[in-house]
Amino acid sequence: MALQLLEHPGISLASGTGLDLPHQAARARAMWLAGRQQHPPLLLVMLLWARHCPDVVQSLEHQLDALFADFRCTPQAWSETQAARQMLAALNLQLFRRQQGERGIAELHAGVLLLQGEELQFLQAGSVGLARAQVNDLHILPGREGQALGTQAELALVQHSLQPGRGEHLLLAPQPLLDVSDLQRLRTPAEMTLDAILQPLLQAPGAAVLLRIGESRCSPVLPPAPARPALRQIACGQQVDGWTLLRECPYGPPGRMFVGRDAGGREAVLWFADEDADEAFWQREWALRRSPQQALPQVLSTHQARSHAYLAMAKPPCGMRNLGDWVAARGAPDAQMLLRIVTQLIAAVRSLQRRGMQGLWLNPRQVLLGDDGQVMLLPGAAAILPGVARQPLPEQAVPLAPELRGGRALDGRADQFALAALVYWLMCGQWPAAAREDVGPGHCYVPLASFAVQVPQGWDGVLARALAPQPQARFEALSEFQLALQQPLHERRNHALRRVPLQPARLAALGLFALPLLLGLLLSLGG
């Protein structure tokens, strides 16, 4: 049983691990981190407890590595507490997706303490509790069964804002360990050392962190978070933060996306940024991390802090190609396939819009399509991201709504325009004029029939409205645009279904007409 001590005049800490059972263990880690937005330094404490996991100790160590790395890569505009919540939410979504993919996951419970200045926050996800003790008082915030990470898409989290007093002891541990421990020991006067108080509590399975609040609240002096510059020269075989670059991807920005493998054999797609990581870079990453949409890539946690500006994503399903390569190999999709594509893209764009990301550049090289019709959008440049100024888009970006190109005010209808332009391009191989250049008030929509393309009746009208140069002339929402595309196909299918019951009646009438002729022919032959 190893004890780890963290001595500081304001806060003293001791953490240790008890017995590890087969498929069950707990681990804890504490670290001082630089504050953000001129806040004082932060003591971040995490405890994870897992059950029903084969390589439980290694898994917990990897999860703790990933959580600390994730926390240090959250947007600086977020408070420390918001960053911790989003860090846990990202882990919860990763586990939920794995469970939805019919891959078994461990039962994982987490407790996080954030001590900063005079404030203490306790984030509780599952069955990890906190005991608070002074000489004359003992209070327990019990863990909650049935709320393990990954059991549902939204994180089940309880947050406690506490005001710890001088000389108070705080014990963070899995709830079963709190249930069997003699917590009266926590009321021992401050003369007794933390390791002497903690050691008897670790005779049972689990792990625990014990903190003592000191007389003063001075904090250590820490350097600010390091910058993550863009990696300019990238080549196969290169080593980046434990990743070995294996091959360049045939999609995404040329020369910026590679498949990499880490020391544990895990493979991922690494998307290297063109510019140094700034607030916009991190906001964009976390907009992706927080989306449960299947048509968006799953952002992975790295096991060590990144030294450069890049994103690690799960590899797309085998056989997916960018839209340009797919069309070159298969030809333009038919109306049903096209509707399936645009429906998935609308769901992905709406999910990003709900997280404050608008004005997207829907580059066909960054839209992947499988032969089964599954879509994945790799969102790159966006004009609007939460918490930052409006972002410029590349000059070569097509398709773009006119208001984006002209720097005018925009809303979600700019993304409607880009989606409609992508549909137009998929059907005829050309971008509409309004998506390529500024157009005047006399601009006219060029019907797809002009390119000898068979278009479902009514689609030209739908696309003409969605591609209107003025946003107010378009559909009010993406859902309205989607319904307008679906309606002609539904009407055609309903019309075909209505025609099916007429066939037996026609056959009966034909039989009544043909029967006398047949009888006459038989009688004439018999005569």
Side-chain angles (χ1 to χ4, degrees), residues 29 46 48 59-73 87 90-91 94 266 286 289 300-306:
R29 190 176 299 175
M46 298 187 201
L48 299 180
S59 175
L60 287 175
E61 293 291 349
H62 283 167
Q63 291 288 11
L64 286 170
D65 291 340
L67 286 172
F68 275 93
D70 284 348
F71 184 89
R72 285 178 291 211
C73 290
M87 168 195 73
L91 173 59
Q94 287 180 27
R266 180 178 63 156
W286 283 88
R289 278 180 176 268
L300 301 178
S301 299
T302 57
H303 292 158
Q304 65 184 72
R306 283 168 273 179

Side-chain angles (χ1 to χ4, degrees), residues 238-245 260-264 266 304 310:
Q238 195 169 344
Q239 298 275 341
V240 182
D241 298 337
W243 296 96
T244 302
L245 304 187
R261 181 186 294 132
D262 67 8
R266 180 178 63 156
Q304 65 184 72
Y310 64 89

Side-chain angles (χ1 to χ4, degrees), residues 344-365:
Q344 294 176 75
L345 285 174
I346 286 174
V349 169
R350 290 179 68 187
S351 180
L352 294 174
Q353 287 181 345
R354 285 192 292 271
R355 286 154 182 85
M357 194 169 170
Q358 294 185 1
L360 301 166
W361 174 23
L362 299 182
N363 186 348
R365 189 175 163 85

Side-chain angles (χ1 to χ4, degrees), residues 2-8 12-16 193-196 198 210:
L3 285 176
Q4 295 181 349
L5 301 177
L6 182 65
E7 296 290 344
H8 188 268
S12 301
L13 178 146
S15 64
T193 61
L194 286 183
D195 55 338
L198 186 61
L210 180 60

Side-chain angles (χ1 to χ4, degrees), residues 184-383:
Q184 298 301 322
R185 299 180 59 85
L186 301 179
R187 299 168 63 179
T188 304
E191 287 76 16
M192 191 171 184
T193 61
L194 286 183
D195 55 338
I197 299 174
L198 186 61
Q199 279 184 346
L201 302 176
L202 296 177
Q203 303 304 315
V209 181
L210 180 60
L211 297 95
R212 177 184 290 158
I213 308 300
E215 292 295 323
S216 63
R217 292 297 182 86
C218 60
S219 301
V221 178
L222 300 174
R228 275 85 172 185
L231 195 59
R232 306 300 177 188
Q233 301 295 327
I234 311 172
C236 293
Q238 195 169 344
Q239 298 275 341
V240 182
D241 298 337
W243 296 96
T244 302
L245 304 187
L246 304 178
R247 59 186 179 275
E248 186 177 347
C249 299
Y251 47 78
R256 307 307 293 179
M257 263 192 187
F258 289 77
V259 174
R261 181 186 294 132
D262 67 8
R266 180 178 63 156
E267 291 192 358
V269 172
L270 305 186
W271 185 349
F272 292 93
D274 292 315
E275 304 294 336
D276 297 351
D278 56 6
E279 188 70 6
F281 175 86
W282 300 119
Q283 290 285 1
R284 173 177 156 271
E285 174 178 329
W286 283 88
L288 280 176
R289 278 180 176 268
R290 292 177 291 162
S291 174
Q293 261 300 324
Q294 294 297 323
L296 290 170
Q298 180 183 356
V299 179
L300 301 178
S301 299
T302 57
H303 292 158
Q304 65 184 72
R306 283 168 273 179
S307 61
H308 290 84
Y310 64 89
L311 208 64
M313 306 180 302
K315 293 197 302 182
C318 186
M320 286 193 121
R321 291 175 280 188
N322 73 64
L323 279 186
D325 290 347
W326 194 95
V327 171
R330 299 284 299 271
D334 59 24
Q336 289 290 350
M337 182 68 157
L338 194 53
L339 184 60
R340 184 176 178 186
I341 294 170
V342 76
T343 298
Q344 294 176 75
L345 285 174
I346 286 174
V349 169
R350 290 179 68 187
S351 180
L352 294 174
Q353 287 181 345
R354 285 192 292 271
R355 286 154 182 85
M357 194 169 170
Q358 294 185 1
L360 301 166
W361 174 23
L362 299 182
N363 186 348
R365 189 175 163 85
Q366 292 174 209
V367 179
L368 307 186
L369 181 61
D371 291 337
D372 59 352
Q374 183 179 355
V375 171
M376 180 174 290
L377 170 63
L378 306 174

